[in-house]
Amino acid sequence: MKIPKVFVSYSHDSLDHKKWVLELATRLRQNGVDATLDQWDLTAGDDVPHFMESNLAKADYILMICTSKYVEKANAGSGGVGYEKMIITSSLMKSISESKIIPVIRQSGTTEVPTFLKSKLYINYSKDDDYEYASDELLRKIHDAPLFKKPEIGYKPFSPVAVGSKTPQHDTLMEVMRVMIQIFEHGQREFVVYSEVRSMIPGMSRTMIDVALDQAKSEKLISFTGVSEAIWITPLGKKYALDNKLV
């Protein structure tokens, strides 16, 4: 598995701020991220602009630690000497994809970012009490491991019924049976669970599902026995599925 590379860009506002950035970069490395930081990757005599350009080009993500001073210098595109050249200016960013940039807010009472990043979502480290939450959010972003996964789109619960064709009740029964057969086909057990059926057809009310299940039971397509919430599809129910092309 590829280890993500992250370049940490920040301004040397104070010794306390440098220490905070060092601790954040250390936390990243301890959690599977190859973080690059001047405090351990630069020594006296090194070429600072070359260090910036080469590591920015190789990075999967760039963390911009946005203090008020950092934002001011980035907006001004200021150069300077020594560590102040570590500020990412507009001219340097022309060769860097903005999709790689993660703004990190470290301010008091404000959430300012450089002008060219105004449209980007940021991670807020301003409140020390939120440090763990913000770190989890940052690590999930870097490792592409979101807390919530977008669910698959289910099947629509209703189909139009032409005059003189199936009744709405029969149409609902068929939809519920189709969902149960789908769960059965893709599962590793001989029964389906009531809560699974409901989750697969969220647009159908619980009352309608219950009525359809009662109808299926009365027609001996399913049975309720054994495990709590378990719904067993009978041989007649499986034949119903084949006859109605639900499989």
Side-chain angles (χ1 to χ4, degrees):
M1 183 174 65
K2 180 184 176 183
I3 297 176
K5 292 181 177 292
V6 168
F7 182 85
V8 183
S9 172
Y10 70 106
S11 56
H12 291 225
D13 298 359
S14 65
L15 288 177
D16 284 343
H17 181 57
K18 286 182 64 177
K19 180 182 177 183
W20 185 89
V21 173
L22 176 63
E23 290 173 351
L24 176 62
T26 301
R27 176 73 170 268
L28 294 176
R29 293 192 66 86
Q30 291 171 342
N31 285 273
V33 178
D34 183 7
T36 299
L37 182 70
D38 64 328
Q39 295 186 54
W40 56 52
D41 287 316
L42 268 181
T43 58
D46 288 342
D47 187 323
V48 177
H50 175 72
F51 166 78
M52 289 177 59
E53 293 173 13
S54 62
N55 283 288
L56 283 169
K58 292 185 294 184
D60 296 303
Y61 291 104
I62 302 163
L63 299 191
M64 300 184 71
I65 314 298
C66 296
T67 60
S68 297
K69 288 185 179 179
Y70 184 102
V71 174
E72 180 183 347
K73 291 179 179 180
N75 284 339
S78 60
V81 295
Y83 286 118
E84 285 194 349
K85 279 197 174 181
M86 297 293 290
I87 302 300
I88 300 177
T89 62
S90 298
S91 59
L92 180 58
M93 288 308 301
K94 288 179 181 178
S95 61
I96 302 297
S97 170
E98 289 188 13
S99 64
K100 297 167 61 171
I101 303 171
I102 304 175
V104 171
I105 303 296
R106 182 64 178 169
Q107 300 167 20
S108 178
T110 58
T111 54
E112 293 297 320
V113 297
T115 301
F116 70 100
L117 296 179
K118 286 290 187 181
S119 62
K120 283 187 170 290
L121 292 176
Y122 53 77
I123 295 177
N124 198 342
Y125 273 94
S126 294
K127 296 181 180 179
D128 290 336
D129 290 345
D130 294 337
Y131 187 89
E132 293 300 326
Y133 174 83
S135 294
D136 181 78
E137 185 179 6
L138 177 59
L139 285 166
R140 287 183 179 279
K141 168 63 177 177
I142 294 172
H143 285 295
D144 191 23
L147 180 60
F148 300 106
K149 183 179 179 180
K150 189 174 183 179
E152 298 294 332
I153 299 176
Y155 294 89
K156 65 179 181 180
F158 307 107
S159 299
V161 179
V163 176
S165 65
K166 302 171 185 176
T167 64
Q169 291 86 348
H170 187 87
D171 193 63
T172 302
L173 169 63
M174 186 175 294
E175 176 62 17
V176 171
M177 286 297 298
R178 185 194 58 74
V179 168
M180 288 193 291
I181 287 294
Q182 181 183 7
I183 297 171
F184 175 79
E185 287 289 330
H186 293 87
Q188 301 295 320
R189 55 179 186 264
E190 291 300 312
F191 61 89
V192 300
V193 179
Y194 177 79
S195 58
E196 293 177 326
V197 178
R198 287 198 62 195
S199 67
M200 289 285 286
I201 42 178
M204 186 181 294
S205 70
R206 178 175 180 176
T207 299
M208 293 188 68
I209 294 174
D210 289 350
V211 169
L213 290 175
D214 286 341
Q215 183 180 351
K217 183 179 179 182
S218 68
E219 296 182 18
K220 301 187 183 329
L221 304 180
I222 61 173
S223 64
F224 300 92
T225 58
V227 183
S228 175
E229 277 206 328
I231 303 171
W232 299 78
I233 302 173
T234 66
L236 191 60
K238 293 173 183 177
K239 184 177 184 302
Y240 172 92
L242 292 174
D243 290 343
N244 288 278
K245 297 181 171 50
L246 303 181
V247 183

